Amino acid sequence: MDKARNLFDIVRSQLWLLPLIFSGLAALLAILLISYGHLLGPDVVRGAWWLYSGEAETARQLLSSLLSGLMTMTSLVVSVTFVILTLAANQLGPRLISHFMADRQIQAVLGLFIGTILYLILVLRTISDTLGADGVPHLAISAGSLLTVICLMALLFYIHKVARLIIADNMIHALHRDLISTVGEVLPATPPSHGEDVARFAGIGEPVALGKVGHVQVIDYGALTRIAAEKDLRIDVAVRAGQYLLSQGDHFTIFSGAGGDGTDIDDETIAALRGCFTIGLQNTTAQDLEYSIRQLTEIAVRALSPGINDPFTAVAVVDRLAASFEAVQQRPLPYRQYHDDDGVLRLIVNRSDYRHMLNTGFRSIRQAGADQPLVLMRIAARLADLAHSVRSPDQADALREQLAALEETVEKCHSIEQDQASMQAYLSETKTVLAAVGTEPASQPA
């Protein structure tokens, strides 16, 4: 399932896929209307005012004019797209370009323009002077005119769409929506059925390197568990989705037999285990929740740079991150141990936890906004809000670590006494809330 979602994420970010589908549909429509449009008969054509009823030469001139104008509009759309991508890369970060490219509405507009151009070309090449009055594909020419009008309306929609999409608050909202969706996909709905109290397997293991360079996109834990059960192995996976790997390293360790005696594993089994790891050129959201968090964090860090100096955008990111972490608190963490059908522990894996997520979200913003009282106060306020919804002592401890780092940052912040007093007040409130929830933490969700 994770591999399918990973493939879907990669395909979705391809700008050419939807235009290619639209082009195929446009070509099919042109063939159908050219082949069967004449079945309407001349009486129907003359009786319907909205159908083209002229001769071949007039039809050729009409389609040529439509094609020329449409190609000009398409050039405008492509030019606007490149301008928007350039502005987005400069203001929001180059790694967010993939979000623009994955937008279904943008892909649909480009596909509509390219598909209509292909349609007009196919219809235009069938019109010649040898066609009689009844041989002109009247329905196909009328459909071409309708598609051109639709493209004109789509141009207005496209300009409105990209103008709103480049606004930082709208981009932050879109990324937050995607992050909430990723939380629901990556984090399990129920806690593990087995207790997770074993840190490592006992015995001497055989470390294995994946032999590839790149980002870990997906680890098929189900397949690893099946192979381990078939070969009576126990596997300690040291890497996790989102990490960048070199070709060599102790990426996972194999323990053979019930006692982990370190018996040599055959090359075929090792190759099968390596095949459970998907390594790519970029991160995806299939199993990497921190990737979506980093996308939001990048906007805030770039907004706090001296060249942009926009703390209000950073504050908006902090708010969305806090809302996302609140959603994370309501669900169990990803499973760290996997058992076979007989209940035997086969995998111990490395997965991101709540502490890592908080660090990924707030650490860089706190560092970049060390001299921005507005940003520091907002982080303190959101930590207090998150303290009200903690579900475990680990979550409360993670918030305390963030609060301690924030206190140290506030002490070194160059600001006037009034701002210092305001920040200390927020910190005191947050410590009070955390002290209260630390004594009686809420129970884990069922």
Side-chain angles (χ1 to χ4, degrees), residues 324-345:
S324 302
F325 291 139
E326 185 181 37
V328 172
Q329 289 176 339
Q330 312 308 312
R331 302 176 72 97
L333 291 174
Y335 301 151
R336 294 178 177 272
Q337 297 180 8
Y338 290 81
H339 299 71
D340 60 18
D341 294 337
D342 297 327
V344 178
L345 178 60

Side-chain angles (χ1 to χ4, degrees), residues 63 85 110 113 115 120 167 249 255 277 329-330 343 377 383 393 398 411:
L63 292 177
L85 292 179
L110 293 177
F113 275 80
L120 293 177
I167 299 175
F255 298 83
F277 296 81
Q329 289 176 339
Q330 312 308 312
M377 284 189 289
L383 290 178
E411 291 176 359

Side-chain angles (χ1 to χ4, degrees), residues 304 311-312 314-316 318-319 322 362 365-366 369-386 402-403 406-407 409-411 413 415-430:
L304 293 173
F312 295 103
V315 166
V318 170
D319 291 340
F362 288 140
I365 300 176
R366 185 184 67 247
D371 290 326
Q372 295 281 355
L374 176 62
V375 176
L376 299 179
M377 284 189 289
R378 185 57 64 94
I379 294 177
R382 291 298 168 252
L383 290 178
D385 293 338
L386 289 173
Q402 292 296 319
L403 182 61
L406 186 61
E407 282 185 296
T409 304
V410 168
E411 291 176 359
C413 178
S415 60
I416 62 175
E417 293 183 2
Q418 184 177 4
D419 290 340
Q420 280 283 345
S422 299
M423 289 187 289
Q424 291 296 337
Y426 275 104
L427 292 174
S428 299
E429 177 187 354
T430 306

Side-chain angles (χ1 to χ4, degrees), residues 141 163 168 219 234 262-263 317 323 347 356 360 362 370 393 397-398 413 427 430:
I141 297 172
I219 303 175
R234 288 159 178 79
T263 304
V317 170
L347 292 185
H356 285 101
T360 301
F362 288 140
D397 291 340
C413 178
L427 292 174
T430 306

Side-chain angles (χ1 to χ4, degrees), residues 140-211:
I141 297 172
S142 302
S145 303
L146 177 62
L147 287 174
T148 305
V149 173
I150 295 175
C151 287
L152 183 61
M153 298 297 104
L155 177 62
L156 299 178
F157 167 80
Y158 180 82
I159 295 175
H160 171 78
K161 169 73 177 180
V162 295
R164 288 185 56 84
L165 199 58
I166 197 62
I167 299 175
D169 288 347
N170 293 334
M171 176 55 64
I172 293 170
H173 174 72
L175 291 174
H176 167 69
R177 186 176 62 249
D178 293 344
L179 177 54
I180 294 297
S181 176
T182 303
V183 167
E185 294 173 350
V186 173
L187 299 185
T190 58
S193 57
H194 299 82
E196 296 189 346
D197 54 353
V198 180
R200 288 185 59 86
F201 290 114
I204 300 174
E206 178 181 345
V208 179
L210 291 175

